[in-house]
Amino acid sequence: MIGRLHTMVIDCPDPRALADFYSELLGLPVAQEEGEWPVVGQEWPRLAFQYAPDHQPPEWPAPERPQQMHLDVWVEDIDTAEEMVLELGARQLAVAEDDPGNLFRVYADPAGHPFCLEYPARTPEPPG
């Protein structure tokens, strides 16, 4: 091992708004804010948000404007999680439900960065 992940920094046009979004999504506090550098989480790894005045959001899955980064977030109830992230300002980009061992939905955060909600396959209802 060369090192450990300390902080993932995400460029965006409004750092505090995006920190608030991820704080709600992940259930972690906005623990530090130094000017245009809010940080979500108190333990490592953390997420930090950096002001980028000319930020061009990715257009997933277009290779001309690649995703730049993404987070995979595990959830137990995908429908409830989806409703909550949409209320926070996310928008849905794609649904992958063909492989029961790899179920996920792709969203864009309010600044356009893709992230995935991953979830377990639903257990079929017993007959009868």
Side-chain angles (χ1 to χ4, degrees):
M1 173 176 67
I2 294 173
R4 290 185 222 165
L5 180 62
H6 175 264
T7 303
M8 178 177 213
V9 181
I10 302 172
D11 288 353
C12 59
D14 186 344
R16 182 56 198 224
L18 202 55
D20 289 342
F21 173 86
Y22 279 103
S23 174
E24 287 293 321
L25 173 65
L26 301 172
L28 298 171
V30 176
Q32 171 185 340
E33 187 168 353
E34 297 174 10
E36 293 294 325
W37 189 265
V39 174
V40 170
Q42 295 173 319
E43 297 179 20
W44 290 277
R46 307 174 306 167
L47 294 176
F49 302 87
Q50 177 175 286
Y51 177 63
D54 298 323
H55 174 70
Q56 295 294 312
E59 292 184 7
W60 185 88
E64 300 82 34
R65 292 195 26 209
Q67 59 182 325
Q68 302 168 15
M69 69 91 197
H70 83 273
L71 301 177
D72 291 335
V73 179
W74 289 354
V75 299
E76 288 296 320
D77 181 337
I78 186 63
D79 294 322
T80 299
E82 176 175 277
E83 182 179 321
M84 294 170 74
V85 299
L86 294 175
E87 285 176 12
L88 287 173
R91 61 188 165 83
Q92 189 176 66
L93 299 176
V95 174
E97 296 182 333
D98 296 334
D99 177 359
N102 187 26
L103 299 171
F104 62 94
R105 296 181 188 173
V106 183
Y107 303 84
D109 70 22
H113 302 102
F115 68 95
C116 298
L117 296 181
E118 296 181 340
Y119 55 101
R122 289 185 168 79
T123 305
E125 294 293 321

